Amino acid sequence: MPAYGRPPAYAQPVLRILDARTGQPVPAAPARRGLTRIEARASGLDPTALRVLLTADLLVRALELGGTPVWTILTAPHRHAELRAAATTLSIRPFEDGHDLASGLGEAQAIHVTAEGTDVPGGGPVVRVAPVEWTGELSEGRGAGWSSAGDVDTSPGAAGSPGGTAEPGVPGQAEPASESAPGRASESAPGRTSEPAFRPVPGRTSEPAAHPALPALLADPAALRLALLAVPRGAPVRLDAAALEEAAGWLAGRRRDVAGWARQPSRPVPDEVRARLRSAWEDDLDLPAVLEVLRAVASAPGLSDGARFETYVYADRLLALDLARDLGSLA
């Protein structure tokens, strides 16, 4: 077979993850085109469980971008309906039930995603996520119980998101960005209602109580998703209203930029930029590095607006932050 030179880095589906069982990096899809099962194991309805579901979703998206078929399941002892509703709110792909494990689909590998300190039976690599802590204030009366997806309107959105007058840097980054952002976080999500994605209901005593901070966390799902993506998976996350406001401000600015870039002729994603993005997320799902690439692309000299637009849209296939949402909006 003749040699045609080294193929582009983005053409090689080589996603590797750190296996918590062995402490060694392993391929997420060892068999080419072989089915990989992603199992999200959530022990409750709390911020850490949401991070587990999000990490599983990122694995699914990264594997699919590399051409690997994926089967995802949710294993949880309690609150399946609420967990599924929360996942939908966070733009997480649907899960199948854990009891379908023995359906005989013949997967090549099973990857388990779970929180730190959780035992995982059976074989296959284990991906662990560090805990998420809510350090902000809580509204009175929240946390008694939670309605299921069928009990309330689970459409995302709520009023009262904290506002900001200047756009911060990418959440999780040390240095601030220099450009200014739109005003309040609520401006980046028009059409939101005053109903939260979840609300407490009384009378549920047979299951563990859900975390009381979930209404605040899910009030702006995209901001929560970004705030979690901006911190390395193995590092604990401490969230409060200011952290979510920072994430909402970054999103508002980037959506504004993408809408502006879309007015110029489209250009392909530069090979070097695509390779940097793929190298970042294929290195144990290093999402902070992906966000740093996007930050650099936004201000890179000599790069056309059309290429910036295509780069952000391409990366959003993994990030799922709806970065192109404001296309066609008035300046």
Side-chain angles (χ1 to χ4, degrees), residues 5 10 98 148 152 157-158 166 196 199 206 218 242 268 272 316-317 319 325:
Y10 61 80
S148 68
V152 299
R199 64 186 178 200
S206 61
L218 292 169
E272 180 184 358
D316 206 35
R317 294 172 63 186
L319 302 175
R325 190 197 66 185

Side-chain angles (χ1 to χ4, degrees), residues 13-42:
V14 290
L15 173 63
R16 299 179 71 82
I17 55 173
L18 184 66
D19 182 4
R21 293 188 195 271
T22 64
Q24 299 296 319
V26 298
R32 183 170 177 80
R33 301 288 181 180
L35 178 67
T36 294
R37 169 164 52 88
I38 306 297
E39 180 184 5
R41 305 180 67 93

Side-chain angles (χ1 to χ4, degrees), residues 153-161 186 189-197 199 218-220:
D153 176 11
T154 58
S155 58
S161 297
S186 59
R192 294 191 182 278
T193 68
S194 60
E195 282 297 309
R199 64 186 178 200
L218 292 169
D220 189 341

Side-chain angles (χ1 to χ4, degrees), residues 254-264 305 309 326-327:
R254 296 294 73 77
R255 287 168 173 169
R256 177 200 62 208
D257 289 341
V258 170
W261 297 332
R263 297 186 178 96
Q264 303 301 318
D305 285 351
F309 169 79
D326 293 342
L327 261 64

Side-chain angles (χ1 to χ4, degrees), residues 279-326:
S279 177
W281 77 58
E282 288 171 353
D283 181 14
D284 197 32
L285 289 176
D286 189 351
L287 276 302
V290 171
L291 293 172
E292 181 58 31
V293 173
L294 293 185
R295 184 171 181 267
V297 165
S299 58
L303 192 63
S304 70
D305 285 351
R308 298 184 214 272
F309 169 79
E310 294 294 346
T311 297
Y312 270 64
V313 170
Y314 173 68
D316 206 35
R317 294 172 63 186
L318 175 72
L319 302 175
L321 295 172
D322 204 9
L323 295 176
R325 190 197 66 185
D326 293 342

Side-chain angles (χ1 to χ4, degrees), residues 218-240:
L218 292 169
D220 189 341
L224 172 60
R225 186 175 176 106
L226 175 59
L228 295 177
L229 295 180
V231 180
R233 187 181 67 249
V237 180
R238 291 176 175 82
L239 294 177
D240 57 13

Side-chain angles (χ1 to χ4, degrees), residues 39-43 73-77 80 83 96-99 101:
E39 180 184 5
R41 305 180 67 93
S43 58
I73 65 170
L74 173 62
T75 299
H80 279 252
L83 283 167
E96 297 186 43
D97 287 325
H99 59 68
L101 272 171

